Amino acid sequence: MPMAVTINTLREYKQKGEAFAALTSYDATFAHAVSSAGVDVILIGDSLGMVLQGHDSTLPVTMEQMVYHTRAVAKGNQGALVVADMPFMSYGTTEQALNNAAELMRAGAQMVKLEGTDWMTDTISALSQRGVPVCAHLGLTPQFVNKFGGYKVQGRDEHHAEQMIEHACLLERAGADVIVLECVPAPLAARITQAVKAPVIGIGAGADTDGQVLVVHDMLGLTPGRPPRFVKNFLAESDSVQDAIKAYVDAVRRRQFPAEEHSFQA
Ligand SMILES: Nc1nc(=O)c2c([nH]1)NC[C@@H]1CN(c3ccc(C(=O)N[C@@H](CCC(=O)O)C(=O)O)cc3)CN21
Ligand SMILES: CC(C)C(=O)C(=O)O
Ligand SMILES: [Mg+2]
C-alpha cells in the first residue's frame, strides 16, 4: 500500500505543480473505494445533508451526524487524508469550535474544514495552535446560502475578487493549512492559488488550483436533477465505479478535468 497522505504530501504536490484529487465520502465503503483508487484527500462533507438526507441545504446537519459519518469513513480509509466539515454553527464561537473540532478529530478526522472569511481568524489560530489542522472554505460557502440568496458564483467583480484574495492570505496567516475555493471564476482561483503557500483545492474554480474536489455521487451521475456546471459524470465512460474514480484521479492529475465547460469565467 502507498504511504499515507499527510499535509506535507499536499505541500509537496503544490511545490512540484502536480495536481491532486479529492472526493467526498460519507461511509466506509466509499472511503475504501475512493482511497484505494488513488484519491489523496477524502472529505466528509456536510453536503451529506443534501446527498444522503434529501434536504435542500447543508444547514440541518448536526455534529452528531458528522461524527457518525467520520467514524465510518475513518474505518474504510486506505491512506487518504481525512478532512471533516464542521457543520453549520458548530464554530459560532472559538470555544465551540475547539470542542467540536476535538470531537471530529477523536472520530478519525485528520483536519477540519470551516466556511468563512476574516471573522474566523481567531478561531483558526486557536485550532491551529492546539494541533488541529484547518482547511478554510471560501467563495460559495453553502452554509451562507440564505445570505447569498442561492448557490451563486462568488467573486465576479474586481472588488469582491480582491477581497477574496485578501481573505485567503489572512486565513493562511491565521494558520489555515489548506484552502477550498468553491464556485469562483477560474482566473480568480488562479490568482489565489499563486498568492498563498497553502495547497488550494477547487470545485467549480477552474483547472489552475492545486487540487480538485467533487461530491462522489455527482461524479458517478447519481445526483438527481440538472447537475451544476462544474460536475462531470465519470461513470458514463467507465465500466465500473472503481474505474470511474480512477478516471477522475487520472483526469485531475493530467489537468484534463476541469475543462472550460466545467469552469466559470469572470
Ligand atoms: N450533490 C452536491 N454537490 C455539490 O457540489 C454540493 C452539494 N451537493 N451540496 C452543498 C453544495 C451546494 N453546491 C452547489 C449547488 C448548486 C450550484 C449551482 O447550481 N451553480 C450554478 C451556478 C450559478 C451561477 O452562475 O451563479 C451552476 O450552473 O453550476 C453550485 C453549487 C455545491 N455543493
Ligand atoms: C463540496 C465540498 C467542498 C463540501 O464542502 C461538501 O461536500 O460539503
Ligand atoms: Mg461542505
Side-chain angles (χ1 to χ4, degrees):
M1 199 177 50
M3 228 166 60
V5 175
T6 69
I7 193 166
N8 297 319
T9 316
L10 305 186
R11 292 185 184 124
E12 280 167 31
Y13 285 141
K14 179 166 186 135
Q15 275 175 4
K16 292 180 182 163
E18 290 176 20
F20 62 90
L23 283 175
T24 63
S25 295
Y26 313 123
D27 63 46
T29 299
F30 267 105
H32 191 283
V34 154
S35 55
S36 49
V39 166
D40 286 300
V41 178
I42 294 180
L43 174 68
I44 302 117
D46 58 354
S47 52
L48 67 85
M50 294 168 80
V51 176
L52 302 188
Q53 299 173 346
H55 296 296
D56 60 7
S57 82
T58 59
L59 272 64
V61 176
T62 66
M63 265 302 298
E64 192 181 351
Q65 291 162 357
M66 291 307 298
V67 165
Y68 170 90
H69 289 284
T70 299
R71 282 208 184 97
V73 164
K75 287 265 191 183
N77 178 37
Q78 304 292 304
L81 185 74
V82 176
V83 182
D85 264 348
M86 297 201 66
F88 181 63
M89 217 49 86
S90 67
Y91 47 103
T93 67
T94 293
E95 191 185 348
Q96 270 185 303
L98 292 172
N99 288 325
N100 288 323
E103 255 205 89
L104 292 170
M105 297 296 282
R106 286 192 290 262
Q110 295 162 322
M111 181 180 292
V112 297
K113 181 161 76 61
L114 291 73
E115 299 181 8
T117 56
D118 47 357
W119 62 269
M120 296 202 301
T121 49
D122 289 347
T123 297
I124 289 178
S125 297
L127 288 166
S128 178
Q129 286 170 331
R130 288 161 179 77
V132 179
V134 174
C135 175
H137 183 159
L138 288 166
L140 196 185
T141 43
Q143 291 172 16
F144 291 70
V145 64
N146 296 295
K147 291 284 278 184
F148 292 154
Y151 297 106
K152 298 177 201 296
V153 175
Q154 300 295 309
R156 277 207 187 268
D157 62 72
E158 186 54 26
H159 169 71
H160 287 105
E162 277 169 21
Q163 206 169 52
M164 206 184 295
I165 297 170
E166 191 188 315
H167 289 157
C169 293
L170 267 174
L171 297 180
E172 173 172 55
R173 207 172 317 144
D177 300 285
V178 173
I179 292 174
V180 161
L181 291 181
E182 177 166 347
C183 289
V184 305
L188 171 58
R191 284 165 75 187
I192 294 173
T193 302
Q194 284 196 345
V196 298
K197 284 182 212 74
V200 174
I201 305 177
I203 171 167
D208 296 326
T209 56
D210 302 302
Q212 298 292 332
V213 64
L214 283 177
V215 168
V216 70
H217 298 67
D218 292 350
M219 55 78 68
L220 296 174
L222 289 169
T223 307
R226 186 185 65 83
R229 183 179 169 87
F230 54 79
V231 170
K232 179 179 173 181
N233 178 355
F234 284 86
L235 190 57
E237 292 160 39
S238 303
D239 292 329
S240 68
V241 167
Q242 279 287 359
D243 280 358
I245 298 169
K246 282 182 188 156
Y248 166 73
V249 171
D250 189 62
V252 168
R253 287 190 181 154
R254 293 171 184 273
R255 294 196 192 268
Q256 287 171 347
F257 177 83
E260 285 291 326
E261 62 190 291
H262 308 115
S263 308
F264 301 104
Q265 288 308 313

